[in-house]
Amino acid sequence: MAQVELKNVGKRFGDNQVVEGVNLSIADNEFIVLVGPSGCGKSTILRMIAGLEKISDGEISISSRVVNHVPPKDRDVAMVFQNYALYPHMSVAQNMGFSLKMRRRSKEETEAKVKQAAEILGLTEYLQRKPAALSGGQRQRVAMGRAIVRKPEVFLFDEPLSNLDAQLRTQMRIELKKLHMKLETTTIYVTHDQIEAMTLADRIVVLKDGRVQQVGTPIEVFENPVNRFVAGFIGNPPTNVFPATYSTDGGPKVDIGGLTLPVVNGKSASLNDGDKVLVGIRPDAVKTGNKIQAMDPAWRTTVDVVLAEIVGGQSLLELTAHGHSFIAEVEGHLTPKPGEKLEVGFELNRMFLFDPDTEESLTA
Amino acid sequence: MASISKDRWLAIATLMPSIILIGIFVYGFIGNTFYVSMTDWNEEQALSFDPEINYTGLENYRYLFSDSLSPEVQEMLAQMQETMGDDFPDDISMFTDPLGTRFRQDMVNAVFYSVLLLAGAVGLGMFLAILLDRRPRGIGILRTVFLYPMALSFIVTGTIWNWLLAPQGLNQLPTAVGLDPIQFDWLSSRDQILTFNWQRLLPVLLYILAAVLIVWGLMRLRRKGAKALYHLLLPGVVIGASTWLFGGFLPDVLMMEEPHGFNLATLGIIMAAVWQYSGYTMALYLAGFHGISLDIAEAAKLDGAGPFGYYRHVAIPMLKPITISAVIILSHISLKMFDLIYAMTGWDTATTGHPALNMFTTSFRANNFAKGAAIAVVLFLLAAMFIIPYLVSSYRKKKGVA
């Protein structure tokens, strides 16, 4: 039963404010992913929760106990490091049992728990090996095993998959998710990879420059980004953004220099005729083929295909229309050839509008 | 094709001068020393322009490791007995040549010099490195301060410590707070502790082995049960009991005919050596500690290891290669303590003697070139015992990498 509560947490290194005013309430058993570009303070927040960094401002509590001045070993948290931080001179079994040894548990108990964790992670046959004799994925598993043997209240993961190759990363991501479902332990996971964030998280915390931008489920963050940064950071390829002018002539609409699209959602009421806005359209909101037959003609336009990247099931198209270039994600079998004309339709109910100055969302 | 490339020729040509010079002046002279140690080239021939030198086999070594009198002395005693008749004394120990006895005490001293220098320098160096690894204020200055003694020569260190350890030196420190001065004679004490008859070395070693097996067995008994009982405890008891019962039948170790012990006068010299070299081991360990990734220290912290647990279970075991090199470097330094002892107690103080000094005095003060050479060979073999395993292991490592 471990809730983690961050109240107005901040971190300064000298005059450099790296984390500011973070409020976050993490429920028991929740899988929270902190995501953001490098330098956004996500690892610093994790390290403050672990007790590896002092908390400059605010308060962190684990299970309703304020831990600001509790040393790491007494916080009952376990952390998996990016480069695994295995003890090179110890065998896999010793690595995994070290925390129990330090807590003076009996040899029998340690052995039993290590064995159990090794079974969960498929490490049983490697228990006597040294980390140097293991592959990257196996080391990763040992690092996780070291965290799970002592059944901590909170798991902390600091970019645990970033040292693995792409295939292994996907595989370990799935295993991690299954492990979380099996162990049911509050987990805080740091990554810069938005796909990891989307696939693993119960809730995503998007950070930028030490501040929380948005907290929400993956779908909330994807479909209703609170600002232009979140819209660009979550989702790959990023959201297409066009500068536009708002008008109410015959219903709310935006004019993207030659291409006029109706506004069908959002708080456009706060906008006046002639206001400048930023229009965001996700690549997967650009449709082709028979999907656009049912669409309002006003949602449709004809574009030139500049480039087509076939990824397999999906293809990424670079398109231009009225001098604007943008990315669309279409089904692979509908891939056009470069130089062709193509009729596309925009899912305008999924369009984002941002204030051009504050970059805050006008639709969320 | 058997032809050798031009590069190869060039390499051989470039290396040849040093190979020839090293071959003659290092290995040739080592060989010559081996030869001299097996001859009778001693004081009688020393003044001769063209000495007559005879091959005598291992006679000099037998002489060093047993109390038998040298043939010259035996001959002299026989003549005396002939001329003196009944006046010839029963106790002839006054005639025994002190060189063998002294050499054996020097060997024992060398063991204590080595063990204590190693333990002291590694222990103190590690301790200092741990203190500095906590990154105190002024770490840069402290590091230099601790490392600086390394830059001094043994002669300078010896002279300084000679002054410090004089009766009006460090011994007067307690008077600053009103206590009596220390009465210990650091460099001239004649006391000897841990004295035992080295001839009984075999039973002693067996007792130690038995004790180790029993203690180890008891420690493991709880966890390993029967395995510990049969593999450790039982053999320990059997070895101990049979040594106690039948130890009398074990042959004496003939190389050490008289009791030897730890001369307290060597303490001051060991202190000076530890002072000089602990900064060096500190630097080795500090570099090692700094090389350990911060993540590992943090992982240990989260795993519940305090500073002590971190160093005891993580950092120091990780630096095993550094410990091994420190031990090897220091142990061969400890065999070359010549200068320090020379500077602190001179070349002829028996209590602080060392085989290296004995070699010097025997060869160049007593002109016993053959016996001096024999001592040199013993020292050479001792040094080889430390160096060769090191070379073999580092060579293997290199081959493993390539």
Side-chain angles (χ1 to χ4, degrees):
Chain A
M1 298 297 109
Q3 301 92 348
V4 179
E5 190 87 33
L6 281 74
K7 274 190 204 139
N8 213 13
V9 170
K11 175 72 190 176
R12 269 164 296 153
F13 290 113
D15 290 336
N16 194 4
Q17 185 89 34
V18 292
V19 173
E20 202 176 347
V22 172
N23 287 294
L24 193 59
S25 179
I26 301 167
D28 187 33
N29 294 352
E30 196 175 15
F31 200 124
I32 283 276
V33 175
L34 307 182
V35 68
S38 36
C40 72
K42 55 191 189 298
S43 286
T44 309
I45 295 173
L46 195 76
R47 293 167 58 80
M48 284 194 284
I49 298 170
L52 298 172
E53 297 283 358
K54 281 204 183 100
I55 299 160
S56 308
D57 304 300
E59 201 174 86
I60 293 179
S61 47
I62 299 173
S63 304
S64 329
R65 176 174 67 134
V66 177
V67 293
N68 280 33
H69 300 291
V70 177
K73 67 185 170 99
D74 299 326
R75 293 190 183 194
D76 205 9
V77 299
M79 185 155 163
V80 176
F81 292 82
Q82 178 172 2
N83 56 13
Y84 321 135
L86 301 179
Y87 310 122
H89 60 291
M90 295 186 198
S91 69
V92 168
Q94 286 170 323
N95 260 289
M96 286 170 44
F98 186 66
S99 63
L100 299 174
K101 185 176 169 186
M102 288 294 102
R103 284 176 170 74
R104 306 193 182 284
R105 299 286 163 76
S106 74
K107 291 233 161 80
E108 294 77 18
E109 187 193 341
T110 305
E111 257 170 48
K113 287 195 166 164
V114 167
K115 217 176 132 217
Q116 195 189 350
E119 269 164 28
I120 294 175
L121 295 164
L123 286 169
T124 310
E125 55 189 305
Y126 305 110
L127 279 178
Q128 297 315 316
R129 286 214 201 158
K130 292 268 169 72
L134 298 176
S135 70
Q138 288 163 343
R139 284 181 212 179
Q140 171 62 54
R141 265 175 248 243
V142 177
M144 294 204 302
R146 198 167 61 176
I148 68 176
V149 277
R150 58 177 228 252
K151 298 207 165 43
E153 291 206 275
V154 183
F155 284 133
L156 306 174
F157 289 91
D158 189 4
E159 310 221 8
L161 305 182
S162 55
N163 281 3
L164 301 175
D165 62 52
Q167 202 181 350
L168 206 52
R169 197 179 309 160
T170 315
Q171 187 193 332
M172 290 303 290
R173 204 168 69 202
I174 294 163
E175 286 185 26
L176 246 167
K177 187 77 184 164
K178 285 182 183 160
L179 194 68
H180 178 251
M181 293 188 327
K182 197 183 293 180
L183 298 174
E184 297 194 325
T185 304
T186 311
T187 302
I188 306 172
Y189 186 106
V190 161
T191 181
H192 64 266
D193 180 349
Q194 53 93 21
I195 295 183
E196 270 173 39
M198 296 294 284
T199 49
L200 288 169
D202 292 331
R203 282 194 299 154
I204 290 180
V205 179
V206 185
L207 289 147
K208 186 195 171 202
D209 299 334
R211 289 171 165 278
V212 173
Q213 305 294 308
Q214 187 168 7
V215 182
T217 65
I219 290 300
E220 275 169 19
V221 173
F222 186 76
E223 293 295 349
N224 294 307
V226 295
N227 57 30
R228 183 186 172 177
F229 170 77
V230 176
F233 192 79
I234 300 291
N236 185 36
T239 303
N240 300 297
V241 176
F242 311 96
T245 313
Y246 183 79
S247 72
T248 50
D249 183 21
K253 56 167 77 87
V254 283
D255 178 17
I256 312 171
L259 175 65
T260 307
L261 296 169
V263 175
V264 299
N265 64 341
K267 308 168 195 160
S268 43
S270 60
L271 289 167
N272 300 314
D273 238 8
D275 278 353
K276 297 278 176 216
V277 291
L278 293 172
V279 172
I281 297 171
R282 289 220 175 265
D284 64 305
V286 184
K287 298 294 178 190
T288 55
N290 53 12
K291 288 229 175 90
I292 63 173
Q293 301 307 323
M295 279 187 187
D296 187 326
W299 293 21
R300 284 149 52 170
T301 187
T302 304
V303 297
D304 295 307
V305 178
V306 178
L307 196 71
E309 287 181 300
I310 302 167
V311 188
Q314 236 90 73
S315 289
L316 298 181
L317 308 180
E318 192 186 332
L319 308 169
T320 54
H322 310 284
H324 305 288
S325 101
F326 58 101
I327 305 287
E329 194 177 53
V330 299
E331 287 170 62
H333 64 93
L334 296 175
T335 310
K337 293 212 159 40
E340 283 182 3
K341 294 264 183 215
L342 184 70
E343 184 164 34
V344 298
F346 301 103
E347 287 184 331
L348 293 182
N349 51 331
R350 293 177 58 204
M351 182 173 83
F352 313 136
L353 290 182
F354 304 111
D355 184 307
D357 300 320
T358 64
E359 302 198 337
E360 293 300 316
S361 173
L362 301 167
T363 42
Chain B
M1 233 167 83
S3 78
I4 299 169
S5 74
K6 203 179 146 202
D7 266 5
R8 196 120 239 224
W9 274 117
L10 204 63
I12 292 171
T14 317
L15 286 175
M16 204 38 87
S18 25
I19 289 176
I20 291 171
L21 290 176
I22 289 174
I24 294 173
F25 290 104
V26 178
Y27 294 98
F29 279 39
I30 288 174
N32 189 49
T33 305
F34 266 94
Y35 167 70
V36 169
S37 76
M38 290 193 258
T39 65
D40 63 351
W41 189 13
N42 284 323
E43 55 211 319
E44 292 84 358
Q45 296 102 309
L47 296 174
S48 158
F49 183 68
D50 182 20
E52 181 197 321
I53 296 168
N54 302 305
Y55 177 78
T56 56
L58 295 176
E59 186 54 44
N60 290 316
Y61 296 96
R62 197 173 303 135
Y63 173 77
L64 285 178
F65 287 105
S66 70
D67 223 0
S68 62
L69 299 173
S70 63
E72 301 86 29
V73 179
Q74 277 174 19
E75 200 179 316
M76 185 184 79
L77 285 177
Q79 281 174 6
M80 279 170 70
Q81 199 167 11
E82 215 169 280
T83 49
M84 290 169 81
D86 289 346
D87 291 337
F88 187 73
D90 293 332
D91 177 18
I92 57 162
S93 66
M94 58 187 287
F95 297 109
T96 50
D97 193 326
L99 179 58
T101 318
R102 176 147 171 199
F103 169 73
R104 293 188 287 271
Q105 177 60 44
D106 286 351
M107 292 289 284
V108 172
N109 283 352
V111 169
F112 284 113
Y113 277 132
S114 297
V115 169
L116 292 176
L117 170 60
L118 269 177
V122 170
L124 188 62
M126 198 185 275
F127 179 70
L128 290 174
I130 288 172
L131 290 186
L132 290 194
D133 192 38
R134 310 309 293 171
R135 295 175 198 261
R137 209 176 280 264
I139 173 175
I141 293 171
L142 287 173
R143 194 166 41 197
T144 315
V145 166
F146 289 132
L147 190 56
Y148 212 73
M150 249 283 278
L152 300 180
S153 87
F154 257 151
I155 297 292
V156 177
T157 306
T159 310
I160 295 170
W161 277 89
N162 217 357
W163 293 336
L164 287 175
L165 296 176
Q168 63 274 53
L170 282 180
N171 282 2
Q172 300 297 324
L173 265 187
T175 60
V177 289
L179 298 172
D180 287 335
I182 300 167
Q183 291 301 335
F184 185 63
D185 300 323
W186 288 100
L187 297 172
S188 50
S189 163
R190 303 190 67 80
D191 294 332
Q192 196 174 55
I193 58 169
L194 300 173
T195 309
F196 72 96
N197 187 345
W198 286 65
Q199 301 215 64
R200 306 304 301 150
L201 200 60
L202 279 181
V204 169
L205 287 178
L206 285 172
Y207 277 131
I208 292 175
L209 178 69
V212 167
L213 284 174
I214 289 170
V215 170
W216 196 11
L218 284 176
M219 268 165 47
R220 293 221 149 184
L221 192 57
R222 216 164 37 116
R223 199 151 58 88
K224 298 255 161 139
K227 209 175 152 197
L229 187 67
Y230 291 122
H231 289 169
L232 298 169
L233 207 52
L234 219 57
V237 173
V238 169
I239 291 174
S242 45
T243 310
W244 185 64
L245 286 174
F246 310 112
F249 296 113
L250 282 171
D252 285 347
V253 182
L254 287 174
M255 50 184 255
M256 293 286 193
E257 293 195 354
E258 58 284 301
H260 293 285
F262 175 51
N263 285 332
L264 289 182
T266 57
L267 266 180
I269 293 169
I270 291 164
M271 271 166 61
V274 168
W275 177 80
Q276 174 145 26
Y277 277 100
S278 51
Y280 172 62
T281 45
M282 177 210 72
L284 287 179
Y285 277 113
L286 196 58
F289 286 147
H290 285 184
I292 293 176
S293 106
L294 205 58
D295 282 356
I296 287 190
E298 291 179 341
K301 237 187 240 175
L302 282 164
D303 274 347
F308 178 79
Y310 167 66
Y311 288 106
R312 161 81 182 73
H313 296 288
V314 179
I316 292 169
M318 272 178 76
L319 298 189
K320 203 169 125 197
I322 288 182
T323 305
I324 291 173
S325 357
V327 164
I328 285 163
I329 291 166
L330 288 175
S331 51
H332 95 261
I333 285 172
S334 76
L335 288 176
K336 302 191 299 193
M337 291 261 278
F338 185 96
D339 356 12
L340 187 63
I341 302 167
Y342 193 100
M344 292 185 76
T345 55
W347 51 270
D348 56 353
T349 306
T351 46
T352 58
H354 188 280
L357 278 165
N358 199 342
M359 172 192 74
F360 168 75
T361 41
T362 306
S363 299
F364 302 115
R365 289 291 174 268
N367 291 337
N368 281 322
F369 298 118
K371 291 187 183 104
I375 296 173
V377 167
V378 170
L379 268 177
F380 172 78
L381 294 177
L382 277 179
M385 257 166 51
F386 289 113
I387 298 292
I388 287 174
Y390 176 67
L391 289 182
V392 168
S393 78
S394 59
Y395 176 69
R396 270 206 200 127
K397 226 176 269 163
K398 248 182 229 157
K399 238 169 68 173
V401 169

